[in-house]
Amino acid sequence: DARMIADKLSKYTPRIFPAFIKTVKGETHIHILIKVPSADWPDKELSAILLSLPPNIKIDTSPQSLL
């Protein structure tokens, strides 16, 4: 799933890395980080991609921490 999502987001140079706690309740957690300048947000194309992702994917547009 992470590779497929990263491919969809390739224009935004995604960075993939494991979560600090990799497995929670048997589910593997992976983070994909992209940076978008404030002046470019909201980006209609990026919004469409994010909205097309399955509901089990969590999206945080303003994380308090990257840990």
Side-chain angles (χ1 to χ4, degrees), residues 14-51:
R15 294 183 182 183
I16 302 172
F17 55 96
F20 182 71
I21 300 174
K22 295 179 185 180
T23 305
V24 177
K25 296 182 182 178
E27 295 182 0
T28 302
H29 290 236
I30 295 173
H31 294 283
I32 301 174
L33 177 68
I34 59 171
K35 293 182 180 183
V36 178
S38 296
D40 295 341
W41 184 255
D43 177 304
K44 289 182 181 182
E45 181 180 355
L46 177 55
S47 294
I49 293 168
L50 296 177
L51 288 169

PDB file of all heavy atoms in Angstrom, residues 14-51:
ATOM      1  N   PRO A  14       7.555  12.207  -2.139  1.00  0.00           N
ATOM      2  CA  PRO A  14       7.243  11.644  -0.827  1.00  0.00           C
ATOM      3  C   PRO A  14       8.446  10.951  -0.195  1.00  0.00           C
ATOM      4  O   PRO A  14       9.303  10.404  -0.892  1.00  0.00           O
ATOM      5  CB  PRO A  14       6.151  10.625  -1.135  1.00  0.00           C
ATOM      6  CG  PRO A  14       6.409  10.224  -2.545  1.00  0.00           C
ATOM      7  CD  PRO A  14       6.939  11.468  -3.227  1.00  0.00           C
ATOM      8  N   ARG A  15       8.506  11.006   1.119  1.00  0.00           N
ATOM      9  CA  ARG A  15       9.518  10.281   1.887  1.00  0.00           C
ATOM     10  C   ARG A  15       8.794   9.229   2.705  1.00  0.00           C
ATOM     11  O   ARG A  15       7.845   9.537   3.432  1.00  0.00           O
ATOM     12  CB  ARG A  15      10.269  11.213   2.812  1.00  0.00           C
ATOM     13  CG  ARG A  15      11.099  12.221   2.061  1.00  0.00           C
ATOM     14  CD  ARG A  15      11.877  13.062   3.021  1.00  0.00           C
ATOM     15  NE  ARG A  15      12.633  14.061   2.277  1.00  0.00           N
ATOM     16  CZ  ARG A  15      13.455  14.904   2.836  1.00  0.00           C
ATOM     17  NH1 ARG A  15      13.624  14.889   4.137  1.00  0.00           N
ATOM     18  NH2 ARG A  15      14.094  15.778   2.110  1.00  0.00           N
ATOM     19  N   ILE A  16       9.225   7.989   2.579  1.00  0.00           N
ATOM     20  CA  ILE A  16       8.603   6.873   3.287  1.00  0.00           C
ATOM     21  C   ILE A  16       9.528   6.448   4.416  1.00  0.00           C
ATOM     22  O   ILE A  16      10.728   6.267   4.219  1.00  0.00           O
ATOM     23  CB  ILE A  16       8.377   5.680   2.343  1.00  0.00           C
ATOM     24  CG1 ILE A  16       7.498   6.100   1.163  1.00  0.00           C
ATOM     25  CG2 ILE A  16       7.767   4.503   3.086  1.00  0.00           C
ATOM     26  CD1 ILE A  16       7.372   5.052   0.098  1.00  0.00           C
ATOM     27  N   PHE A  17       8.957   6.288   5.613  1.00  0.00           N
ATOM     28  CA  PHE A  17       9.758   5.808   6.737  1.00  0.00           C
ATOM     29  C   PHE A  17       8.841   5.101   7.727  1.00  0.00           C
ATOM     30  O   PHE A  17       7.638   5.380   7.795  1.00  0.00           O
ATOM     31  CB  PHE A  17      10.517   6.961   7.401  1.00  0.00           C
ATOM     32  CG  PHE A  17       9.661   8.110   7.852  1.00  0.00           C
ATOM     33  CD1 PHE A  17       9.221   8.201   9.157  1.00  0.00           C
ATOM     34  CD2 PHE A  17       9.304   9.119   6.959  1.00  0.00           C
ATOM     35  CE1 PHE A  17       8.433   9.266   9.572  1.00  0.00           C
ATOM     36  CE2 PHE A  17       8.533  10.194   7.363  1.00  0.00           C
ATOM     37  CZ  PHE A  17       8.088  10.256   8.676  1.00  0.00           C
ATOM     38  N   PRO A  18       9.391   4.152   8.479  1.00  0.00           N
ATOM     39  CA  PRO A  18       8.576   3.407   9.439  1.00  0.00           C
ATOM     40  C   PRO A  18       8.147   4.295  10.605  1.00  0.00           C
ATOM     41  O   PRO A  18       8.838   5.248  10.964  1.00  0.00           O
ATOM     42  CB  PRO A  18       9.495   2.285   9.915  1.00  0.00           C
ATOM     43  CG  PRO A  18      10.869   2.778   9.647  1.00  0.00           C
ATOM     44  CD  PRO A  18      10.777   3.702   8.464  1.00  0.00           C
ATOM     45  N   ALA A  19       7.023   3.957  11.192  1.00  0.00           N
ATOM     46  CA  ALA A  19       6.559   4.657  12.377  1.00  0.00           C
ATOM     47  C   ALA A  19       7.484   4.332  13.549  1.00  0.00           C
ATOM     48  O   ALA A  19       8.174   3.316  13.547  1.00  0.00           O
ATOM     49  CB  ALA A  19       5.132   4.229  12.706  1.00  0.00           C
ATOM     50  N   PHE A  20       7.504   5.214  14.538  1.00  0.00           N
ATOM     51  CA  PHE A  20       8.326   4.988  15.736  1.00  0.00           C
ATOM     52  C   PHE A  20       7.934   3.658  16.375  1.00  0.00           C
ATOM     53  O   PHE A  20       8.778   2.859  16.744  1.00  0.00           O
ATOM     54  CB  PHE A  20       8.145   6.150  16.712  1.00  0.00           C
ATOM     55  CG  PHE A  20       8.988   6.042  17.944  1.00  0.00           C
ATOM     56  CD1 PHE A  20      10.365   6.213  17.874  1.00  0.00           C
ATOM     57  CD2 PHE A  20       8.418   5.773  19.169  1.00  0.00           C
ATOM     58  CE1 PHE A  20      11.153   6.109  19.004  1.00  0.00           C
ATOM     59  CE2 PHE A  20       9.191   5.670  20.312  1.00  0.00           C
ATOM     60  CZ  PHE A  20      10.566   5.845  20.229  1.00  0.00           C
ATOM     61  N   ILE A  21       6.642   3.422  16.523  1.00  0.00           N
ATOM     62  CA  ILE A  21       6.126   2.120  16.946  1.00  0.00           C
ATOM     63  C   ILE A  21       5.557   1.487  15.684  1.00  0.00           C
ATOM     64  O   ILE A  21       4.512   1.904  15.181  1.00  0.00           O
ATOM     65  CB  ILE A  21       5.046   2.277  18.041  1.00  0.00           C
ATOM     66  CG1 ILE A  21       5.650   2.977  19.257  1.00  0.00           C
ATOM     67  CG2 ILE A  21       4.452   0.930  18.400  1.00  0.00           C
ATOM     68  CD1 ILE A  21       4.658   3.325  20.338  1.00  0.00           C
ATOM     69  N   LYS A  22       6.267   0.485  15.155  1.00  0.00           N
ATOM     70  CA  LYS A  22       5.966  -0.042  13.829  1.00  0.00           C
ATOM     71  C   LYS A  22       4.676  -0.848  13.753  1.00  0.00           C
ATOM     72  O   LYS A  22       4.026  -0.865  12.723  1.00  0.00           O
ATOM     73  CB  LYS A  22       7.131  -0.896  13.337  1.00  0.00           C
ATOM     74  CG  LYS A  22       8.388  -0.095  13.119  1.00  0.00           C
ATOM     75  CD  LYS A  22       9.520  -0.964  12.652  1.00  0.00           C
ATOM     76  CE  LYS A  22      10.785  -0.147  12.570  1.00  0.00           C
ATOM     77  NZ  LYS A  22      11.923  -0.911  12.129  1.00  0.00           N
ATOM     78  N   THR A  23       4.326  -1.534  14.835  1.00  0.00           N
ATOM     79  CA  THR A  23       3.142  -2.377  14.814  1.00  0.00           C
ATOM     80  C   THR A  23       2.257  -2.058  16.008  1.00  0.00           C
ATOM     81  O   THR A  23       2.721  -2.010  17.137  1.00  0.00           O
ATOM     82  CB  THR A  23       3.534  -3.867  14.839  1.00  0.00           C
ATOM     83  OG1 THR A  23       4.427  -4.129  13.763  1.00  0.00           O
ATOM     84  CG2 THR A  23       2.319  -4.760  14.687  1.00  0.00           C
ATOM     85  N   VAL A  24       0.982  -1.829  15.742  1.00  0.00           N
ATOM     86  CA  VAL A  24      -0.005  -1.572  16.781  1.00  0.00           C
ATOM     87  C   VAL A  24      -1.191  -2.499  16.520  1.00  0.00           C
ATOM     88  O   VAL A  24      -1.779  -2.452  15.433  1.00  0.00           O
ATOM     89  CB  VAL A  24      -0.459  -0.097  16.785  1.00  0.00           C
ATOM     90  CG1 VAL A  24      -1.547   0.133  17.817  1.00  0.00           C
ATOM     91  CG2 VAL A  24       0.725   0.833  17.023  1.00  0.00           C
ATOM     92  N   LYS A  25      -1.520  -3.324  17.497  1.00  0.00           N
ATOM     93  CA  LYS A  25      -2.635  -4.275  17.375  1.00  0.00           C
ATOM     94  C   LYS A  25      -2.518  -5.102  16.100  1.00  0.00           C
ATOM     95  O   LYS A  25      -3.497  -5.323  15.386  1.00  0.00           O
ATOM     96  CB  LYS A  25      -3.965  -3.552  17.436  1.00  0.00           C
ATOM     97  CG  LYS A  25      -4.224  -2.873  18.771  1.00  0.00           C
ATOM     98  CD  LYS A  25      -5.575  -2.211  18.806  1.00  0.00           C
ATOM     99  CE  LYS A  25      -5.768  -1.512  20.141  1.00  0.00           C
ATOM    100  NZ  LYS A  25      -7.042  -0.810  20.222  1.00  0.00           N
ATOM    101  N   GLY A  26      -1.298  -5.522  15.776  1.00  0.00           N
ATOM    102  CA  GLY A  26      -1.065  -6.366  14.614  1.00  0.00           C
ATOM    103  C   GLY A  26      -1.030  -5.636  13.288  1.00  0.00           C
ATOM    104  O   GLY A  26      -0.842  -6.254  12.255  1.00  0.00           O
ATOM    105  N   GLU A  27      -1.211  -4.329  13.287  1.00  0.00           N
ATOM    106  CA  GLU A  27      -1.184  -3.555  12.049  1.00  0.00           C
ATOM    107  C   GLU A  27       0.138  -2.822  11.928  1.00  0.00           C
ATOM    108  O   GLU A  27       0.596  -2.194  12.880  1.00  0.00           O
ATOM    109  CB  GLU A  27      -2.328  -2.542  12.022  1.00  0.00           C
ATOM    110  CG  GLU A  27      -3.694  -3.163  11.986  1.00  0.00           C
ATOM    111  CD  GLU A  27      -4.796  -2.123  11.911  1.00  0.00           C
ATOM    112  OE1 GLU A  27      -4.498  -0.908  11.897  1.00  0.00           O
ATOM    113  OE2 GLU A  27      -5.964  -2.527  11.863  1.00  0.00           O
ATOM    114  N   THR A  28       0.746  -2.893  10.749  1.00  0.00           N
ATOM    115  CA  THR A  28       2.000  -2.204  10.503  1.00  0.00           C
ATOM    116  C   THR A  28       1.717  -0.748  10.149  1.00  0.00           C
ATOM    117  O   THR A  28       0.820  -0.457   9.372  1.00  0.00           O
ATOM    118  CB  THR A  28       2.752  -2.875   9.340  1.00  0.00           C
ATOM    119  OG1 THR A  28       2.971  -4.239   9.688  1.00  0.00           O
ATOM    120  CG2 THR A  28       4.080  -2.207   9.070  1.00  0.00           C
ATOM    121  N   HIS A  29       2.503   0.136  10.745  1.00  0.00           N
ATOM    122  CA  HIS A  29       2.331   1.565  10.487  1.00  0.00           C
ATOM    123  C   HIS A  29       3.561   2.114   9.766  1.00  0.00           C
ATOM    124  O   HIS A  29       4.683   1.865  10.178  1.00  0.00           O
ATOM    125  CB  HIS A  29       2.139   2.329  11.806  1.00  0.00           C
ATOM    126  CG  HIS A  29       0.822   2.044  12.439  1.00  0.00           C
ATOM    127  ND1 HIS A  29      -0.058   3.040  12.752  1.00  0.00           N
ATOM    128  CD2 HIS A  29       0.222   0.885  12.804  1.00  0.00           C
ATOM    129  CE1 HIS A  29      -1.135   2.508  13.284  1.00  0.00           C
ATOM    130  NE2 HIS A  29      -0.984   1.197  13.327  1.00  0.00           N
ATOM    131  N   ILE A  30       3.318   2.825   8.682  1.00  0.00           N
ATOM    132  CA  ILE A  30       4.368   3.450   7.884  1.00  0.00           C
ATOM    133  C   ILE A  30       3.936   4.895   7.630  1.00  0.00           C
ATOM    134  O   ILE A  30       2.757   5.173   7.433  1.00  0.00           O
ATOM    135  CB  ILE A  30       4.552   2.709   6.540  1.00  0.00           C
ATOM    136  CG1 ILE A  30       5.053   1.289   6.799  1.00  0.00           C
ATOM    137  CG2 ILE A  30       5.507   3.454   5.622  1.00  0.00           C
ATOM    138  CD1 ILE A  30       5.105   0.429   5.568  1.00  0.00           C
ATOM    139  N   HIS A  31       4.882   5.791   7.643  1.00  0.00           N
ATOM    140  CA  HIS A  31       4.583   7.197   7.379  1.00  0.00           C
ATOM    141  C   HIS A  31       5.080   7.577   5.994  1.00  0.00           C
ATOM    142  O   HIS A  31       6.129   7.120   5.553  1.00  0.00           O
ATOM    143  CB  HIS A  31       5.279   8.100   8.405  1.00  0.00           C
ATOM    144  CG  HIS A  31       4.777   7.927   9.790  1.00  0.00           C
ATOM    145  ND1 HIS A  31       3.585   8.450  10.218  1.00  0.00           N
ATOM    146  CD2 HIS A  31       5.302   7.269  10.848  1.00  0.00           C
ATOM    147  CE1 HIS A  31       3.404   8.144  11.481  1.00  0.00           C
ATOM    148  NE2 HIS A  31       4.426   7.419  11.893  1.00  0.00           N
ATOM    149  N   ILE A  32       4.320   8.419   5.353  1.00  0.00           N
ATOM    150  CA  ILE A  32       4.727   9.020   4.088  1.00  0.00           C
ATOM    151  C   ILE A  32       4.612  10.524   4.290  1.00  0.00           C
ATOM    152  O   ILE A  32       3.538  11.042   4.580  1.00  0.00           O
ATOM    153  CB  ILE A  32       3.847   8.563   2.915  1.00  0.00           C
ATOM    154  CG1 ILE A  32       3.916   7.039   2.758  1.00  0.00           C
ATOM    155  CG2 ILE A  32       4.271   9.278   1.632  1.00  0.00           C
ATOM    156  CD1 ILE A  32       2.976   6.489   1.714  1.00  0.00           C
ATOM    157  N   LEU A  33       5.719  11.204   4.147  1.00  0.00           N
ATOM    158  CA  LEU A  33       5.766  12.644   4.386  1.00  0.00           C
ATOM    159  C   LEU A  33       5.949  13.384   3.072  1.00  0.00           C
ATOM    160  O   LEU A  33       6.801  13.032   2.257  1.00  0.00           O
ATOM    161  CB  LEU A  33       6.936  12.976   5.321  1.00  0.00           C
ATOM    162  CG  LEU A  33       7.182  14.445   5.617  1.00  0.00           C
ATOM    163  CD1 LEU A  33       6.050  15.018   6.459  1.00  0.00           C
ATOM    164  CD2 LEU A  33       8.513  14.609   6.332  1.00  0.00           C
ATOM    165  N   ILE A  34       5.114  14.387   2.862  1.00  0.00           N
ATOM    166  CA  ILE A  34       5.317  15.300   1.736  1.00  0.00           C
ATOM    167  C   ILE A  34       5.227  16.710   2.291  1.00  0.00           C
ATOM    168  O   ILE A  34       4.554  16.965   3.288  1.00  0.00           O
ATOM    169  CB  ILE A  34       4.288  15.090   0.602  1.00  0.00           C
ATOM    170  CG1 ILE A  34       2.868  15.292   1.108  1.00  0.00           C
ATOM    171  CG2 ILE A  34       4.439  13.742  -0.049  1.00  0.00           C
ATOM    172  CD1 ILE A  34       1.831  15.304   0.014  1.00  0.00           C
ATOM    173  N   LYS A  35       5.946  17.606   1.668  1.00  0.00           N
ATOM    174  CA  LYS A  35       5.907  19.005   2.069  1.00  0.00           C
ATOM    175  C   LYS A  35       5.319  19.817   0.929  1.00  0.00           C
ATOM    176  O   LYS A  35       5.707  19.659  -0.224  1.00  0.00           O
ATOM    177  CB  LYS A  35       7.320  19.512   2.380  1.00  0.00           C
ATOM    178  CG  LYS A  35       7.932  18.888   3.597  1.00  0.00           C
ATOM    179  CD  LYS A  35       9.305  19.489   3.862  1.00  0.00           C
ATOM    180  CE  LYS A  35       9.952  18.889   5.073  1.00  0.00           C
ATOM    181  NZ  LYS A  35      11.253  19.522   5.354  1.00  0.00           N
ATOM    182  N   VAL A  36       4.388  20.674   1.296  1.00  0.00           N
ATOM    183  CA  VAL A  36       3.765  21.569   0.328  1.00  0.00           C
ATOM    184  C   VAL A  36       3.858  22.975   0.906  1.00  0.00           C
ATOM    185  O   VAL A  36       3.412  23.205   2.034  1.00  0.00           O
ATOM    186  CB  VAL A  36       2.285  21.190   0.087  1.00  0.00           C
ATOM    187  CG1 VAL A  36       1.632  22.158  -0.883  1.00  0.00           C
ATOM    188  CG2 VAL A  36       2.162  19.759  -0.409  1.00  0.00           C
ATOM    189  N   PRO A  37       4.449  23.909   0.183  1.00  0.00           N
ATOM    190  CA  PRO A  37       4.514  25.281   0.689  1.00  0.00           C
ATOM    191  C   PRO A  37       3.118  25.819   1.007  1.00  0.00           C
ATOM    192  O   PRO A  37       2.159  25.537   0.287  1.00  0.00           O
ATOM    193  CB  PRO A  37       5.164  26.065  -0.463  1.00  0.00           C
ATOM    194  CG  PRO A  37       5.889  25.031  -1.261  1.00  0.00           C
ATOM    195  CD  PRO A  37       5.077  23.768  -1.126  1.00  0.00           C
ATOM    196  N   SER A  38       3.012  26.579   2.068  1.00  0.00           N
ATOM    197  CA  SER A  38       1.719  27.138   2.488  1.00  0.00           C
ATOM    198  C   SER A  38       1.038  27.892   1.356  1.00  0.00           C
ATOM    199  O   SER A  38      -0.183  27.831   1.201  1.00  0.00           O
ATOM    200  CB  SER A  38       1.910  28.072   3.675  1.00  0.00           C
ATOM    201  OG  SER A  38       2.391  27.369   4.779  1.00  0.00           O
ATOM    202  N   ALA A  39       1.825  28.582   0.567  1.00  0.00           N
ATOM    203  CA  ALA A  39       1.266  29.374  -0.541  1.00  0.00           C
ATOM    204  C   ALA A  39       0.617  28.488  -1.609  1.00  0.00           C
ATOM    205  O   ALA A  39      -0.226  28.948  -2.366  1.00  0.00           O
ATOM    206  CB  ALA A  39       2.353  30.235  -1.168  1.00  0.00           C
ATOM    207  N   ASP A  40       1.023  27.214  -1.674  1.00  0.00           N
ATOM    208  CA  ASP A  40       0.499  26.291  -2.684  1.00  0.00           C
ATOM    209  C   ASP A  40      -0.650  25.439  -2.159  1.00  0.00           C
ATOM    210  O   ASP A  40      -1.150  24.562  -2.865  1.00  0.00           O
ATOM    211  CB  ASP A  40       1.609  25.374  -3.188  1.00  0.00           C
ATOM    212  CG  ASP A  40       2.691  26.128  -3.927  1.00  0.00           C
ATOM    213  OD1 ASP A  40       2.430  27.263  -4.369  1.00  0.00           O
ATOM    214  OD2 ASP A  40       3.804  25.589  -4.060  1.00  0.00           O
ATOM    215  N   TRP A  41      -1.036  25.645  -0.893  1.00  0.00           N
ATOM    216  CA  TRP A  41      -2.094  24.832  -0.299  1.00  0.00           C
ATOM    217  C   TRP A  41      -3.353  25.667  -0.155  1.00  0.00           C
ATOM    218  O   TRP A  41      -3.259  26.818   0.264  1.00  0.00           O
ATOM    219  CB  TRP A  41      -1.639  24.294   1.061  1.00  0.00           C
ATOM    220  CG  TRP A  41      -2.648  23.383   1.674  1.00  0.00           C
ATOM    221  CD1 TRP A  41      -3.481  23.675   2.708  1.00  0.00           C
ATOM    222  CD2 TRP A  41      -2.942  22.050   1.288  1.00  0.00           C
ATOM    223  NE1 TRP A  41      -4.282  22.608   2.987  1.00  0.00           N
ATOM    224  CE2 TRP A  41      -3.973  21.582   2.120  1.00  0.00           C
ATOM    225  CE3 TRP A  41      -2.447  21.195   0.293  1.00  0.00           C
ATOM    226  CZ2 TRP A  41      -4.509  20.312   2.002  1.00  0.00           C
ATOM    227  CZ3 TRP A  41      -2.988  19.927   0.188  1.00  0.00           C
ATOM    228  CH2 TRP A  41      -4.000  19.506   1.040  1.00  0.00           C
ATOM    229  N   PRO A  42      -4.505  25.160  -0.507  1.00  0.00           N
ATOM    230  CA  PRO A  42      -4.742  23.791  -0.946  1.00  0.00           C
ATOM    231  C   PRO A  42      -4.373  23.591  -2.413  1.00  0.00           C
ATOM    232  O   PRO A  42      -4.557  24.485  -3.228  1.00  0.00           O
ATOM    233  CB  PRO A  42      -6.234  23.588  -0.732  1.00  0.00           C
ATOM    234  CG  PRO A  42      -6.827  24.961  -0.809  1.00  0.00           C
ATOM    235  CD  PRO A  42      -5.748  25.906  -0.332  1.00  0.00           C
ATOM    236  N   ASP A  43      -3.858  22.417  -2.703  1.00  0.00           N
ATOM    237  CA  ASP A  43      -3.488  22.002  -4.043  1.00  0.00           C
ATOM    238  C   ASP A  43      -4.599  21.059  -4.521  1.00  0.00           C
ATOM    239  O   ASP A  43      -4.816  20.005  -3.924  1.00  0.00           O
ATOM    240  CB  ASP A  43      -2.130  21.286  -3.977  1.00  0.00           C
ATOM    241  CG  ASP A  43      -1.667  20.736  -5.302  1.00  0.00           C
ATOM    242  OD1 ASP A  43      -2.418  19.941  -5.909  1.00  0.00           O
ATOM    243  OD2 ASP A  43      -0.554  21.061  -5.719  1.00  0.00           O
ATOM    244  N   LYS A  44      -5.317  21.437  -5.568  1.00  0.00           N
ATOM    245  CA  LYS A  44      -6.471  20.655  -6.022  1.00  0.00           C
ATOM    246  C   LYS A  44      -6.088  19.236  -6.425  1.00  0.00           C
ATOM    247  O   LYS A  44      -6.788  18.276  -6.115  1.00  0.00           O
ATOM    248  CB  LYS A  44      -7.185  21.363  -7.167  1.00  0.00           C
ATOM    249  CG  LYS A  44      -7.927  22.606  -6.730  1.00  0.00           C
ATOM    250  CD  LYS A  44      -8.661  23.253  -7.883  1.00  0.00           C
ATOM    251  CE  LYS A  44      -9.362  24.520  -7.391  1.00  0.00           C
ATOM    252  NZ  LYS A  44     -10.125  25.153  -8.465  1.00  0.00           N
ATOM    253  N   GLU A  45      -4.973  19.089  -7.125  1.00  0.00           N
ATOM    254  CA  GLU A  45      -4.547  17.757  -7.570  1.00  0.00           C
ATOM    255  C   GLU A  45      -4.188  16.883  -6.365  1.00  0.00           C
ATOM    256  O   GLU A  45      -4.608  15.730  -6.278  1.00  0.00           O
ATOM    257  CB  GLU A  45      -3.354  17.857  -8.519  1.00  0.00           C
ATOM    258  CG  GLU A  45      -2.883  16.513  -9.032  1.00  0.00           C
ATOM    259  CD  GLU A  45      -1.689  16.617  -9.966  1.00  0.00           C
ATOM    260  OE1 GLU A  45      -1.270  17.732 -10.304  1.00  0.00           O
ATOM    261  OE2 GLU A  45      -1.171  15.548 -10.350  1.00  0.00           O
ATOM    262  N   LEU A  46      -3.431  17.441  -5.427  1.00  0.00           N
ATOM    263  CA  LEU A  46      -3.057  16.691  -4.233  1.00  0.00           C
ATOM    264  C   LEU A  46      -4.299  16.341  -3.409  1.00  0.00           C
ATOM    265  O   LEU A  46      -4.438  15.215  -2.926  1.00  0.00           O
ATOM    266  CB  LEU A  46      -2.064  17.485  -3.386  1.00  0.00           C
ATOM    267  CG  LEU A  46      -1.643  16.859  -2.062  1.00  0.00           C
ATOM    268  CD1 LEU A  46      -1.077  15.465  -2.257  1.00  0.00           C
ATOM    269  CD2 LEU A  46      -0.653  17.768  -1.347  1.00  0.00           C
ATOM    270  N   SER A  47      -5.212  17.272  -3.267  1.00  0.00           N
ATOM    271  CA  SER A  47      -6.449  17.007  -2.522  1.00  0.00           C
ATOM    272  C   SER A  47      -7.218  15.844  -3.143  1.00  0.00           C
ATOM    273  O   SER A  47      -7.728  14.972  -2.434  1.00  0.00           O
ATOM    274  CB  SER A  47      -7.329  18.252  -2.493  1.00  0.00           C
ATOM    275  OG  SER A  47      -6.706  19.267  -1.753  1.00  0.00           O
ATOM    276  N   ALA A  48      -7.289  15.802  -4.459  1.00  0.00           N
ATOM    277  CA  ALA A  48      -7.990  14.721  -5.153  1.00  0.00           C
ATOM    278  C   ALA A  48      -7.314  13.377  -4.884  1.00  0.00           C
ATOM    279  O   ALA A  48      -7.991  12.366  -4.657  1.00  0.00           O
ATOM    280  CB  ALA A  48      -8.060  15.006  -6.649  1.00  0.00           C
ATOM    281  N   ILE A  49      -5.991  13.357  -4.905  1.00  0.00           N
ATOM    282  CA  ILE A  49      -5.254  12.118  -4.628  1.00  0.00           C
ATOM    283  C   ILE A  49      -5.536  11.657  -3.202  1.00  0.00           C
ATOM    284  O   ILE A  49      -5.845  10.485  -2.960  1.00  0.00           O
ATOM    285  CB  ILE A  49      -3.738  12.306  -4.842  1.00  0.00           C
ATOM    286  CG1 ILE A  49      -3.427  12.540  -6.316  1.00  0.00           C
ATOM    287  CG2 ILE A  49      -2.967  11.092  -4.323  1.00  0.00           C
ATOM    288  CD1 ILE A  49      -2.005  13.021  -6.588  1.00  0.00           C
ATOM    289  N   LEU A  50      -5.437  12.573  -2.252  1.00  0.00           N
ATOM    290  CA  LEU A  50      -5.650  12.214  -0.847  1.00  0.00           C
ATOM    291  C   LEU A  50      -7.081  11.725  -0.621  1.00  0.00           C
ATOM    292  O   LEU A  50      -7.301  10.753   0.113  1.00  0.00           O
ATOM    293  CB  LEU A  50      -5.331  13.403   0.053  1.00  0.00           C
ATOM    294  CG  LEU A  50      -3.872  13.880   0.041  1.00  0.00           C
ATOM    295  CD1 LEU A  50      -3.711  15.111   0.917  1.00  0.00           C
ATOM    296  CD2 LEU A  50      -2.913  12.777   0.459  1.00  0.00           C
ATOM    297  N   LEU A  51      -8.051  12.356  -1.243  1.00  0.00           N
ATOM    298  CA  LEU A  51      -9.441  11.931  -1.098  1.00  0.00           C
ATOM    299  C   LEU A  51      -9.710  10.571  -1.734  1.00  0.00           C
ATOM    300  O   LEU A  51     -10.654   9.883  -1.350  1.00  0.00           O
ATOM    301  CB  LEU A  51     -10.380  12.988  -1.690  1.00  0.00           C
ATOM    302  CG  LEU A  51     -10.499  14.275  -0.873  1.00  0.00           C
ATOM    303  CD1 LEU A  51     -11.229  15.343  -1.678  1.00  0.00           C
ATOM    304  CD2 LEU A  51     -11.201  14.006   0.447  1.00  0.00           C
TER     305      LEU A  51
END
